[in-house]
Amino acid sequence: MTTTAATTAPVANPRTLGLAHYAARGVLEHVLARHGMTFQQQLALRAAVTADAPQTPDDLITQIQGSLKADPADIRATLDELLARQLLVADGAHLRPTDAGRELTAAIGAETAPITARIWGGIPAEDLTAAARVLALVAERANAELATLTA
């Protein structure tokens, strides 16, 4: 009796999605730790740096909560940490990134770019398109479920 290796590709499921997410986040968190940053701090600072206009704290909290589903009080504490580190500065009712905040965001981006290229490199465009379509649908459905659970 002979056996042959399976030739079919694995099917995506919640476990494979989670494993991929945590593996990629682990890489990013390793880089962030070298800069004394947490994942949530980096996300908040990047949101401020990439915004088209200065954001209010509530604007940033809403944006970050939409991404991380984190407690608004925790996000506000993160903004306070960025203010204390002088990576953000209050400008009236708005928060804007300082030069140090912009430089840190650029440094993290420069450090993660080659890692990202190695992780994502060589994946066929049609696979990336299919993955994006599936992940967008999963996110949409999960957001709808979360809205029902928290209503």
Side-chain angles (χ1 to χ4, degrees):
M1 178 173 167
T2 61
T3 59
T4 59
T7 57
T8 59
V11 175
N13 60 43
R15 182 176 187 277
T16 59
L17 173 62
L19 290 173
H21 165 77
Y22 284 112
R25 184 166 168 175
V27 169
L28 177 58
E29 287 183 347
H30 183 80
V31 171
L32 293 173
R34 290 198 294 251
H35 294 277
M37 295 284 286
T38 66
F39 181 74
Q40 191 160 298
Q41 288 172 337
Q42 182 266 345
L43 190 67
L45 182 59
R46 189 171 188 285
V49 167
T50 60
D52 292 334
Q55 303 287 296
T56 66
D58 287 343
D59 293 337
L60 288 170
I61 289 168
T62 298
Q63 183 178 346
I64 296 159
Q65 187 178 26
S67 298
L68 290 183
K69 313 307 184 233
D71 183 316
D74 291 341
I75 300 168
R76 189 166 300 278
T78 296
L79 296 177
D80 290 342
E81 293 163 2
L82 295 172
L83 286 162
R85 289 184 61 185
Q86 298 180 344
L87 299 171
L88 291 177
V89 64
D91 183 7
H94 296 90
L95 298 179
R96 63 175 177 80
T98 62
D99 289 343
R102 290 181 187 285
E103 290 167 10
L104 180 56
T105 299
I108 291 167
E111 193 171 338
T112 58
I115 299 168
T116 300
R118 289 191 299 272
I119 292 169
W120 289 85
I123 299 174
E126 61 273 10
D127 289 351
L128 293 173
T129 300
R133 191 173 49 250
V134 169
L135 293 174
L137 182 58
V138 168
E140 178 184 321
R141 289 177 177 178
N143 283 329
E145 290 294 331
L146 184 59
T148 300
L149 292 171
T150 57

